[in-house]
Amino acid sequence: MKKKKQVFDKDFKMPNLFMEDLENIEIIIKNDLKPNEYKLELESYEYSEVLEIKNTTKQTGQFRIQAYAPNVFIDLTKKKAFIHADDDSVNTIGSIKKIIDIIEKRERKFLWYSSQVGVWLTLILVILSTLSLLSLHWVVKIHAIIILIASVVWFMAVIYVTEYQFSIINFIYKEDKENFFRRNKDQLGVNIIIAAFSFLLAWFLKK
């Protein structure tokens, strides 16, 4: 009698990974799993290590890490993210759990849970706001229109994120990205204020 190997699967909730995460995952795979073959796939290209990608692109939503013997696959795509293994040995499972810990720390859980209920919540808000438009009171109608517009925008955002931004892989270090926003936060803040003011001005002029 021989025990059959069991497969291992784990889904992730909208991960947003950075260069240090990819490097740590690579170290675990190479040092702990010691696969016979290891490669990375980025859209139309194939690489043998993470550092090869560093200067070719800064971000993607389509990335795959593959190791063979033992067979371990990490798929990070625009619509899903998961890790799969065809081996359930103690060493393989232990290594996978280390990788899972790294990825789970970068999950955008609030966004994931919001997207799960977003579609149904939007539908309810659209129905309620549409019914509110039947009211004769103009204040109720204005509130209904605002809620209706916000619901449509939210629905479009949910669809966009779940279909095109489920996984985000940054080939820069987290600190470098944060420094960019620190350097440009004043300009970004001004742009947001101008955009909001322009919208409100246009809305009042139309009244």
Side-chain angles (χ1 to χ4, degrees):
M1 184 174 66
K2 184 179 179 181
K3 182 183 177 183
K4 281 183 64 178
K5 287 186 177 181
Q6 301 294 317
V7 298
F8 179 93
D9 289 291
K10 167 72 177 176
D11 294 321
F12 298 108
K13 300 176 178 68
M14 294 186 174
N16 182 14
L17 301 180
F18 291 88
M19 195 68 183
E20 56 263 41
D21 303 314
L22 301 176
E23 289 176 347
N24 289 333
I25 290 171
E26 186 169 271
I27 289 171
I28 293 169
I29 291 174
K30 288 186 174 181
N31 293 349
D32 294 1
L33 290 175
K34 297 182 175 66
N36 292 338
E37 185 181 351
Y38 169 75
K39 62 181 179 179
L40 311 166
E41 286 185 3
L42 173 61
E43 297 172 353
S44 303
Y45 297 92
E46 189 176 294
Y47 303 88
S48 60
E49 60 179 12
V50 174
L51 285 177
E52 289 182 11
I53 315 172
K54 188 175 181 181
N55 298 319
T56 61
T57 184
K58 289 190 176 180
Q59 190 181 92
T60 186
Q62 198 80 21
F63 188 59
R64 194 177 202 213
I65 301 173
Q66 303 177 65
Y68 297 93
N71 297 342
V72 177
F73 310 104
I74 304 171
D75 269 14
L76 305 166
T77 74
K78 296 176 181 179
K79 297 184 178 183
K80 60 184 177 181
F82 66 89
I83 186 169
H84 170 86
D86 290 335
D87 180 21
D88 64 342
S89 67
V90 174
N91 181 64
T92 300
I93 296 301
S95 301
I96 287 175
K97 287 184 177 179
K98 291 180 183 178
I99 294 172
I100 289 173
D101 287 341
I102 293 171
I103 299 176
E104 283 186 334
K105 288 177 182 177
R106 300 296 193 195
E107 287 180 326
R108 295 169 291 165
K109 291 182 180 179
F110 177 78
L111 187 59
W112 186 85
Y113 285 115
S114 297
S115 67
Q116 298 301 300
V117 300
V119 174
W120 295 108
L121 180 60
T122 300
L123 181 61
I124 294 170
L125 289 174
V126 167
I127 293 172
L128 292 176
S129 57
T130 302
L131 292 175
S132 298
L133 290 174
L134 301 176
S135 172
L136 297 177
H137 202 292
W138 66 273
V139 174
V140 176
K141 285 188 176 182
I142 290 176
H143 288 166
I145 291 171
I146 293 173
I147 293 173
L148 184 60
I149 293 172
S151 299
V152 172
V153 171
W154 174 248
F155 178 77
M156 292 173 64
V158 168
I159 296 301
Y160 174 75
V161 169
T162 53
E163 291 296 317
Y164 301 103
Q165 291 284 310
F166 194 95
S167 304
I168 297 177
I169 302 91
N170 303 278
F171 295 105
I172 60 173
Y173 295 98
K174 191 172 188 293
E175 184 180 33
D176 294 337
K177 189 166 186 176
E178 288 176 342
N179 287 339
F180 170 80
F181 284 109
R182 287 195 192 105
R183 289 193 303 269
N184 296 277
K185 66 180 180 180
D186 294 335
Q187 188 62 38
L188 290 170
V190 169
N191 290 338
I192 292 171
I193 291 171
I194 291 173
F197 180 77
S198 300
F199 173 79
L200 290 173
L201 181 61
W203 185 73
F204 279 115
L205 290 175
K206 288 180 180 179
K207 290 182 66 177

